[in-house]
Amino acid sequence: MALVTILDRVKVDLTVLAVPGFVAAMAGEFAWQRRHPVGGRRAGDYEFADTMASLTMGVGSLVAPYITGALLAPVTPRTGRYATVLMGLSLAGAGIATVGDVVRRTRTTGLLDAGTLSSSSPRIGASDADLGGDDDERAVPDAQHMLPPALRRITGSSAVTALASTVVTVSTLWSAETASRKLFRLSPFDLGKGPLAYAVAILGWDFLYYWNHRLDHESRWLWAMHVVHHSSERYNLSTALRQPVAEALTISVPYGLLSLLGVRPALVQDARAVNLIYQFWIHTEVIRSIGPLEKVFNSPAHHRVHHGSNREYLDRNHGSILILWDRLFGTFEPEADQVVYGLTTNIDTFSPLRIATHEWAGIARDVFRARTWRDRVSHLLRGPGWSAQQTAAYEA
């Protein structure tokens, strides 16, 4: 308890204290690989460019909160001096895009020749995904090219502006209103700093983490942040440090809920650190199994599945410390076939900037090209797989 008292007094981030251990563990893993070479490429082996990208992203994730905090504070609703300007920009963008949609529909009315399928007539062989939107021109893509390019650019750019400013507004407001310190002041409870408080904090964080991690894979808005961690085609301890830098632009099931139960904000942060530190060691191929403990705890074998791009491994094993949540809620998958790491469509780059922004750029591109608000919002909120299907249908 003396250590707890010291840490509480100086407010040291436990993940920072763990950095020397991270470095030593990576050195040990690298040494083991050198002593146990294989004939060909091993996905767990270190590759200089890949490792440097992961380490850069790790450092960036520590620095990013200070930068984004300063940048987003002026536009945070209720407290930021420019918050109303940002909301006005969102409304203006939405208005211009909507006017553009009306003009587009007016100009494309009557363009179909006799015998041509209308937008209300399903195409032969069209899937449900193809017919998911209300796009007037999905059945006749050539109609889009008959529109003035300036109209398409103005409409698309306005839609992107509207959704981007809305993302910033919603995420900053959500973060401010669900902060642990704010919710703790509303709570009638205070669990103090004893073992019970730490147990509630760590177990509660682990439970909320499961749902947030699952949502990271099921909503493209959240996936744009989380995809950073899955972008490497390697799997070693350095991969654990490939962390996102845009968490300030997302929403989540708030960990501040723990403070409503009486968990002090400092303990909530300690629980976050314990969670992250635990996850570090499961990013390895060196440890194949931890035996019967795998029925309860997350392990390298379970997490290798989570990082797999194999169809049977997609969106499985979201747990952090405990694998029990996956077993309880139907997302558990044991390791069987050889894992293929990375994304279903890899980005083939080691540039930290590209790694951090490629999915955000993809969302902006798809929103720009979409022709209805239903599709635009869906490209942001629905799963990455839905957007991929829509893009394939549009380009077909």
Side-chain angles (χ1 to χ4, degrees):
M1 293 306 294
L3 177 60
V4 172
T5 302
I6 293 172
L7 292 177
D8 186 56
R9 188 174 298 167
V10 299
K11 298 181 180 178
V12 175
D13 188 335
L14 294 178
T15 56
V16 176
L17 292 179
V19 167
F22 294 160
V23 174
M26 287 188 290
E29 183 181 45
F30 179 74
W32 184 92
Q33 292 171 353
R34 295 292 297 271
R35 290 196 301 269
H36 300 82
V38 295
R41 178 185 183 274
R42 181 168 51 189
D45 288 343
Y46 284 80
E47 181 182 21
F48 180 78
D50 179 81
T51 300
M52 291 306 298
S54 295
L55 296 180
T56 301
M57 297 304 298
V59 173
S61 70
L62 296 176
V63 176
Y66 300 100
I67 299 175
T68 55
L71 292 176
L72 295 178
V75 295
T76 301
R78 298 186 182 180
T79 58
R81 60 188 300 185
Y82 300 116
T84 54
V85 175
L86 185 65
M87 288 186 279
L89 183 64
S90 179
L91 292 173
I96 294 172
T98 301
V99 170
D101 289 341
V102 172
V103 173
R104 171 181 52 80
R105 290 191 180 99
T106 301
R107 292 180 67 98
T108 54
T109 300
L111 286 177
L112 302 179
D113 295 328
T116 304
L117 290 175
S118 70
S119 60
S120 61
S121 303
R123 289 175 291 162
I124 296 174
S127 66
D128 291 340
D130 294 335
L131 304 175
D134 297 325
D135 193 343
D136 291 334
E137 290 76 51
R138 181 172 290 126
V140 255
D142 285 342
Q144 294 298 333
H145 302 291
M146 300 178 70
L147 297 173
L151 176 61
R152 296 200 301 270
R153 287 195 295 268
I154 292 172
T155 303
S157 299
S158 298
V160 171
T161 299
L163 282 186
S165 53
T166 300
V167 162
V168 174
T169 298
V170 171
S171 58
T172 52
L173 178 62
W174 184 258
S175 178
E177 295 300 309
T178 61
S180 291
R181 294 187 181 279
K182 181 165 186 174
L183 296 183
F184 185 68
R185 289 195 296 268
L186 301 176
S187 175
F189 311 110
D190 184 354
L191 297 180
K193 297 184 289 186
L196 175 62
Y198 268 91
V200 171
I202 294 172
L203 185 63
W205 183 285
D206 202 62
F207 176 72
L208 294 176
Y209 178 89
Y210 166 81
W211 288 106
N212 280 322
H213 196 181
R214 183 169 174 172
L215 288 172
D216 286 344
H217 286 254
E218 295 176 354
S219 170
R220 197 180 180 194
W221 178 5
L222 308 184
W223 176 245
M225 173 271 298
H226 185 62
V227 68
V228 168
H229 186 61
H230 284 263
S231 60
S232 176
E233 297 176 56
R234 300 279 176 161
Y235 191 79
N236 51 54
L237 293 176
S238 73
T239 308
L241 304 181
R242 187 177 287 217
Q243 294 294 319
V245 296
E247 288 183 296
L249 296 178
T250 59
I251 60 174
S252 64
V253 180
Y255 294 102
L257 291 175
L258 298 174
S259 291
L260 284 179
L261 299 177
V263 178
R264 296 182 179 182
L267 270 62
V268 174
Q269 290 306 306
D270 284 349
R272 171 185 177 275
V274 170
N275 184 279
L276 287 173
I277 291 170
Y278 183 91
Q279 289 187 68
F280 174 77
W281 77 277
I282 61 178
H283 290 82
T284 184
E285 288 200 324
V286 173
I287 301 172
R288 302 308 304 177
S289 173
I290 59 173
L293 291 176
E294 290 188 341
K295 294 184 179 299
V296 177
F297 293 99
N298 199 6
S299 70
H302 296 329
H303 204 59
R304 285 193 291 269
V305 167
H306 179 72
H307 274 257
S309 61
N310 316 48
R311 178 176 293 275
E312 66 272 24
Y313 291 160
L314 293 177
D315 304 334
R316 314 300 285 178
N317 298 0
H318 301 296
S320 174
I321 297 175
L322 300 178
I323 202 66
L324 288 175
W325 313 124
D326 288 284
R327 295 183 184 276
L328 284 172
F329 299 114
T331 52
F332 175 73
E333 184 72 29
E335 184 180 34
D337 296 337
Q338 179 67 38
V339 180
V340 179
Y341 302 106
L343 307 174
T344 53
T345 302
N346 288 305
I347 55 176
D348 299 323
T349 182
F350 299 115
S351 165
L353 181 62
R354 170 77 171 136
I355 293 171
T357 62
H358 76 275
E359 189 65 17
W360 294 105
I363 292 175
R365 180 189 63 244
D366 291 339
V367 169
F368 182 91
R369 294 172 60 178
R371 298 295 179 240
T372 68
W373 278 109
R374 177 182 176 182
D375 281 356
R376 290 166 187 145
V377 174
S378 293
H379 278 303
L380 178 68
L381 298 182
R382 296 183 70 169
W386 181 89
S387 289
Q389 288 180 324
Q390 293 299 100
T391 300
Y394 183 84
E395 294 176 347

